[in-house]
């Protein structure tokens, strides 16, 4: 039976802009599944009543109705496992690399202006000239001109950490049911923060808070000593 | 034989702040491998000559020398496959979820101020009151007050896309050797951009440029028609 995709359209039926509907459409194409679409305008929400909610995309596959693009992807994968997979990264190495690249490019630029001047104080006297020169070149500023203010750093960091909190609200670790290098790569940067600063950027109701606590409890004895974590 | 980890330290040997050294240390702990550390200060770079470069972390495992935290993670995984894995996400579902959450929280807030007012023009007349009200509530502003300027959007988007370009410089797809839902989720949002705007945010020398072109060429006929892509 042909799957039906309910898809948002503009005034023109060919205007299809919703990123989430595109995800559902591209996932269907990826699986090589035949589908037809029902164009939905915002004012057509009543046509979605059968789905128990009012957002597109929705797919109808025989009697089965699925809404939410992520749920649709999971449904298609689980229902049609013999078709080209939507989750092909065998050992997660490429996706893990994406996470480490995200840490380096999205979090480090927020943290460096705060932590670099503190680092200068904490390194050996004989290291300071080199450190200052290399970091000022990298950051394009004199270290004394870096004064981001902890409040701004915390706000930007919390915003940037949104994909972490969203992911951990549904999974115990970034890597799934067990910790992996994606978790380690991020934790490395949180150790960097903690080793130099006392800023609080997670609250106990953030999913990442419990994840971080669990990680600290599992630290090896030597790491725990370096970190100063009371893991007794 | 015990692995040796060369690790950055501050004036105090217990001050260990480098996020990349923490990655190597935590990866070794994760694998349950015995290791000892050699503290390295910035001025000790000469001690790293044996590694053919001058950055920490470096590990020495018997005769084998590996630098760069990502290379170290891959080396440990490939050399000690029977130890707890660093890349456990069987089908990449959890890591894929992270990528979709990154798209939604890091890219969409940059795109929405540009694309939302354009959307208003392109949707059916009868949809506009609902659309305006719901989007103004979501964005906390009147749509007329959203005027981010294409130049700023492009600049912010290029910055935010850094983990994509970094990852695609080493892998044909986010999901590895074949496209997966992580690629689809991002592509969905790039279709959103292209369906409403002609901004150019990738240049031909960005790794993401060829990735996107390849994706467009593989679009199904119906999607290609909607997209207006000349795929002949």
């Amino acid at each position: 039976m042909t799957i039906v995709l309910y898809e948002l359209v503009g005034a023109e039926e060919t205007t299809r802009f919703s990123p989430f509907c595109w995800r559902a459409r591209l996932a269907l194409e990826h699986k090589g599944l035949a589908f037809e679409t029902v164009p939905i305008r915002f004012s057509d929400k009543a046509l979605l009543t059968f789905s128990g909610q009012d957002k597109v995309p929705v797919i109808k596959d025989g009697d089965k109705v699925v809404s939410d693009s992520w749920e649709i992807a999971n449904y298609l994968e689980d229902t049609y496992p013999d078709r080209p997979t939507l989750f092909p990264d065998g050992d997660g190495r490429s996706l893990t690399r994406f996470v480490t690249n995200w840490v380096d490019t999205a979090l480090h630029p927020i943290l460096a202006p705060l932590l670099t001047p503190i680092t200068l104080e904490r390194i050996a006297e004989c290291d300071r000239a080199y450190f200052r020169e290399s970091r000022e070149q990298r950051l394009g500023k004199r270290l004394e001109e870096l004064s981001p203010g902890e409040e701004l750093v915390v706000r930007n960091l919390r915003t940037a950490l949104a994909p972490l909190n969203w992911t951990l609200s549904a999974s115990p670790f970034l890597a799934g049911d067990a910790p992996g290098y994606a978790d380690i790569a991020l934790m490395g940067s949180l150790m960097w923060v903690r080793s130099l600063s006392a800023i609080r950027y997670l609250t106990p109701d953030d999913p990442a808070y419990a994840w971080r606590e669990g990680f600290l409890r599992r630290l090896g004895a030597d790491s725990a000593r370096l970190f100063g974590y009371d893991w007794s």
Side-chain angles (χ1 to χ4, degrees), chain A:
Chain A
M1 195 172 328
T2 302
I3 295 172
V4 182
L5 168 64
Y6 294 78
E7 203 176 33
L8 191 66
V9 302
E12 302 292 327
E13 267 200 22
T14 53
T15 299
R16 310 218 178 170
F17 48 86
S18 161
F20 305 106
C21 291
W22 273 106
R23 289 183 191 177
R25 166 181 281 274
L26 295 173
L28 286 160
E29 284 189 3
H30 181 93
K31 282 279 183 196
L33 293 163
F35 65 98
E36 52 192 45
T37 59
V38 174
I40 294 286
R41 297 199 171 84
F42 288 106
S43 46
D44 295 334
K45 281 174 184 267
L47 297 175
L48 300 174
T49 308
F50 74 93
S51 72
Q53 53 89 59
D54 65 358
K55 298 265 192 312
V56 282
V58 174
I59 63 165
K60 198 162 178 310
D61 186 13
D63 290 339
K64 182 74 183 171
V65 173
V66 188
S67 59
D68 182 284
S69 54
W70 177 250
E71 295 303 325
I72 290 170
N74 280 274
Y75 167 79
L76 295 176
E77 184 69 13
D78 296 337
T79 309
Y80 303 101
D82 298 335
R83 302 250 172 181
T85 178
L86 288 164
F87 305 109
D89 194 8
D91 62 5
R93 212 170 288 215
S94 177
L95 293 170
T96 298
R97 187 61 170 142
F98 178 85
V99 177
T100 71
N101 287 336
W102 167 77
V103 173
D104 295 354
T105 61
L107 305 186
H108 285 192
I110 295 171
L111 292 167
L114 175 73
L115 299 179
T116 306
I118 303 173
T119 308
L120 187 71
E121 308 290 312
R122 298 285 295 277
I123 58 179
E125 190 97 29
C126 58
D127 281 347
R128 293 185 185 162
Y130 164 80
F131 182 80
R132 174 185 286 278
E133 190 188 336
S134 62
R135 267 46 180 186
E136 291 186 343
Q137 187 166 13
R138 185 187 296 174
L139 297 166
K141 277 187 181 167
R142 280 183 50 78
L143 295 192
E144 284 71 14
E145 290 167 27
L146 297 170
S147 51
E150 291 190 356
E151 206 175 310
L152 180 65
V153 170
V154 167
R155 194 161 63 238
N156 289 341
L157 196 54
R158 286 189 61 80
T159 301
L161 286 174
L164 175 70
N165 276 311
W166 286 29
T167 306
L168 293 178
S169 71
S171 171
F173 298 97
L174 289 178
D177 291 332
Y181 193 71
D183 301 273
I184 284 174
L186 176 56
M187 198 61 199
S189 296
L190 304 189
M191 300 301 270
W192 176 35
V193 177
R194 187 84 156 243
S195 67
L196 297 173
S197 161
I199 57 167
R200 291 172 183 273
Y201 53 91
L202 293 176
T203 61
D205 52 330
D206 290 325
Y209 188 92
W211 166 87
R212 187 183 60 181
E213 287 300 302
F215 220 109
L216 293 174
R217 274 195 298 276
R218 282 193 315 278
L219 281 180
D222 188 48
S223 292
R225 184 181 58 81
L226 291 171
F227 182 65
Y229 186 73
D230 176 13
W231 66 320
S232 61

